[in-house]
């Protein structure tokens, strides 16, 4: 069931999350009509999703057959055990996360300048420390590779985002979750508490 309180409409929040992440899941249809999910690295530029790969292969063949695709990015921040708020029932167990889902049109990019810009953005995300020559379409050492590699642009037709951080929790239940996260003290628990406070800033105790 869709919970309206978890939906995120602010494009700035969505853009920030997409730029922080580097890994997503591409959904296409195979030749038999079955959904085909491909995990891959991506870059988000100018409102488009881009990824690269070989010019031939299942996902490229499927894109050439039908350009309609789905793409999803998600990050789980914390598992919330049921015993944080209820020591008997399992029902309160859940997870706090961010997720963004797209429907769009996938098209191969042919322009070498656009390819170089996309691949530069991907390298900045995957290898921020540098250690390579800048990727430009004018560099003769890159021109062959740019022509050989496939870069695909997804033009977004529809986007939905869900950031779940206890927006439905009130009073003691919310306080117990924060207490449990503090006591557990895992790497992401402190960040999760910050996000709970960010997305529920007007919370008042019952």
């Amino acid at each position: 069931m869709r919970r309206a309180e978890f939906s995120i409409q602010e494009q700035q929040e969505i853009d920030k999350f997409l730029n922080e992440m580097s890994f997503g899941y591409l959904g296409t249809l195979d030749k038999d009509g079955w959904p085909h999910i491909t995990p891959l690295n991506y870059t988000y530029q100018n409102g488009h999703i881009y990824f690269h790969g070989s010019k031939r292969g299942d996902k490229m063949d499927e894109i050439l057959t039908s350009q309609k695709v789905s793409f999803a990015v998600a990050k789980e921040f914390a598992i919330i055990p049921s015993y944080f708020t209820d020591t008997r029932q399992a029902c309160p167990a859940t997870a706090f996360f961010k997720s963004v889902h797209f429907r769009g049109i996938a098209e191969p990019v042919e322009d070498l300048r656009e390819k170089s810009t996309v691949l530069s953005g991907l390298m900045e995300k995957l290898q921020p420390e540098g250690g390579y020559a800048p990727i430009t379409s004018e560099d003769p050492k890159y021109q062959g590779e740019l022509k050989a590699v496939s870069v695909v642009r997804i033009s977004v037709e529809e986007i939905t985002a869900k950031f779940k951080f206890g927006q439905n929790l009130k009073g003691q239940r919310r306080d117990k979750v924060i207490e449990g996260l503090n006591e557990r003290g895992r790497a992401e628990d402190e960040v999760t508490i910050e996000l709970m406070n960010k997305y529920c800033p007007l919370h008042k105790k019952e």
Side-chain angles (χ1 to χ4, degrees):
M1 184 174 97
R2 175 168 293 193
R3 300 291 294 269
E5 65 263 43
F6 304 143
S7 295
I8 294 293
Q9 305 297 327
E10 294 81 2
Q11 191 64 45
Q12 185 177 1
E13 287 283 320
I14 295 170
D15 290 351
K16 182 175 183 294
F17 174 62
L18 292 171
N19 285 319
E20 289 172 348
M21 303 296 288
S22 64
F23 199 77
Y25 297 87
L26 173 71
T28 52
L29 288 177
D30 70 14
K31 61 183 179 180
D32 297 316
W34 288 94
H36 179 203
I37 304 299
T38 304
L40 46 77
N41 293 113
Y42 75 93
T43 179
Y44 180 65
Q45 299 181 24
N46 300 316
H48 301 294
I49 294 289
Y50 290 92
F51 62 88
H52 78 301
S54 300
K55 287 200 170 184
R56 302 304 301 177
D58 289 343
K59 71 174 181 290
M60 289 305 301
D61 291 344
E62 290 157 8
I63 286 170
L64 292 174
T65 300
S66 174
Q67 294 179 304
K68 292 182 178 181
V69 300
S70 293
F71 193 80
V73 181
K75 179 179 179 179
E76 184 178 75
F77 284 79
I79 297 291
I80 308 300
S82 60
Y83 54 76
F84 276 7
T85 57
D86 192 318
T87 56
R88 189 180 72 84
Q89 290 194 340
C91 302
T94 189
F96 288 172
F97 63 88
K98 292 183 180 182
S99 68
V100 179
H101 177 260
F102 301 93
R103 287 181 177 174
I105 303 299
E107 299 176 282
V109 174
E110 301 299 338
D111 181 76
L112 296 189
R113 287 191 177 183
E114 186 175 1
K115 277 188 173 184
S116 64
T117 299
V118 168
L119 294 173
S120 294
L122 190 61
M123 285 300 295
E124 288 170 9
K125 185 172 283 193
L126 299 180
Q127 194 172 311
E129 70 275 17
Y132 58 91
I135 303 172
T136 68
S137 58
E138 292 79 20
D139 187 340
K141 292 185 177 180
Y142 275 125
Q143 286 176 354
E145 284 82 356
L146 288 171
K147 291 176 182 177
V149 72
S150 175
V151 171
V152 176
R153 178 201 314 112
I154 301 177
S155 299
V156 177
E157 299 283 318
E158 179 184 339
I159 182 170
T160 56
K162 185 175 180 181
F163 292 5
K164 180 180 178 183
F165 290 94
Q167 292 94 319
N168 61 320
L169 299 176
K170 293 180 174 61
Q172 285 191 335
R173 287 190 65 206
R174 183 177 186 276
D175 293 341
K176 286 181 177 180
V177 168
I178 292 176
E179 181 182 353
L181 290 168
N182 271 317
E183 290 179 354
R184 189 169 65 183
R186 293 179 183 170
E188 293 287 355
D189 289 343
E190 183 176 348
V191 175
T192 300
I193 293 171
E194 291 175 1
L195 291 170
M196 288 180 70
N197 290 326
K198 177 178 181 178
Y199 294 116
C200 320
L202 299 179
H203 167 74
K204 295 180 180 180
K205 292 184 178 181
E206 290 181 333

